Amino acid sequence: MTLPKLPRIIAVALTAALGVTGCARPGTSPGDAGPATGASPADAREALVRSVDALRAGDYTFTRTGAYLTADITHGAVHLPDGALLELGQAAMMRVGDATYLRYLIHGNLEERDLYMKYRRKAAAPGQLRDINRVYALLDGKHWVRVDEKRLAAAAAIEEQSGLDSMPTLPGPGRADGPDAEALIKAVTTARRSGDTITGTLDATRVDPDLDLLFSDPTYLYGPRAKAMSYRAVLDERGRLAELTVEMPDQLASQPPEPADPEPPVVITISQYGRTEPPRAPADAETLPLIGYEMLANDVD
């Protein structure tokens, strides 16, 4: 059946109404800041703050790379409360339920391994040497080993040179934001929006240095430039954060005025909201011997 044509006066009125209200894109409402160029700075900032709300559900996949002191997370999978996985090249950490697992290459430098064995042979009992050799077999960068997360954190906190110092904290109850994107967004000082992209500056001195996201002492390293670092955030079709890039200043505070090659930017990508599979416990994971934590605390690679 053919529908009758609308009278001209009704069609004109309908067109005018549409022109006033506009058409909302999926995931937005008339009250949203919207993707249009020229959104006010307050609206752009509010959209940026809301973009990380979905992380609190603890169900997403992410990566985080670049920058000074940053531990590159080449793959992160968060599915709370079931567990979380962080991969950093040959190193990885995983929590499945109440169990924590580590994949790690310890004393990969053979010279350092020989020095450690020479030191241990002077005082170690035969049983300890056997456990040390077992630790080397387990922490080869290929096998998962079950660890005590509290002992692992204590080993990382010891004032020694250890690769554990740069290992990120696994997401869990009360800490669903694995990439620490919200910590960066809270440091934003200016925001302007064009479509799904928000750009502006952030103050690195407002970011917790213990997170190792940027650098431990930004004012010392970059001077005033640390307070106005450029960022670029991209939102997905539902206003959730999909990518966040923070550029490093191109000059150190101690350098002459000529620009230098900057550190790589921090780049965070987030995807698979609500569709990330929970990690699975490795079936053949052995338990790390107690002496393994001492060895990890002195891993000076």
Side-chain angles (χ1 to χ4, degrees), residues 9 12 106 128 228 231:
I9 187 170
V12 171
I106 187 169
Q128 285 183 315
Y231 73 87

Side-chain angles (χ1 to χ4, degrees), residues 166-186:
S166 62
M167 292 288 283
T169 303
L170 277 165
R175 190 187 177 280
D177 183 358
D180 293 310
E182 188 170 7
L184 292 172
I185 287 174
K186 284 181 177 179

Side-chain angles (χ1 to χ4, degrees), residues 102-201:
L102 175 70
R103 192 182 72 220
Y104 190 83
L105 176 62
I106 187 169
H107 296 164
N109 185 305
L110 294 180
E111 182 179 351
E112 291 179 356
R113 182 180 294 199
D114 289 342
L115 287 173
Y116 183 82
M117 290 300 292
K118 183 178 180 180
Y119 158 74
R120 294 303 309 187
R121 285 192 187 100
K122 293 180 180 179
Q128 285 183 315
L129 291 177
R130 190 164 51 248
D131 282 345
I132 289 171
N133 287 322
R134 184 177 169 216
V135 169
Y136 280 131
L138 292 173
L139 298 182
D140 61 353
K142 300 176 183 178
H143 295 88
W144 286 102
V145 58
R146 184 165 179 168
V147 295
D148 183 313
E149 196 166 345
K150 291 183 178 178
R151 283 197 173 101
L152 202 64
I158 295 174
E159 294 295 330
E160 299 283 353
Q161 290 180 317
S162 171
L164 283 182
D165 297 343
S166 62
M167 292 288 283
T169 303
L170 277 165
R175 190 187 177 280
D177 183 358
D180 293 310
E182 188 170 7
L184 292 172
I185 287 174
K186 284 181 177 179
V188 163
T189 53
T190 66
R192 54 189 175 275
R193 183 169 186 171
S194 177
D196 289 326
T197 301
I198 300 173
T199 57
T201 57

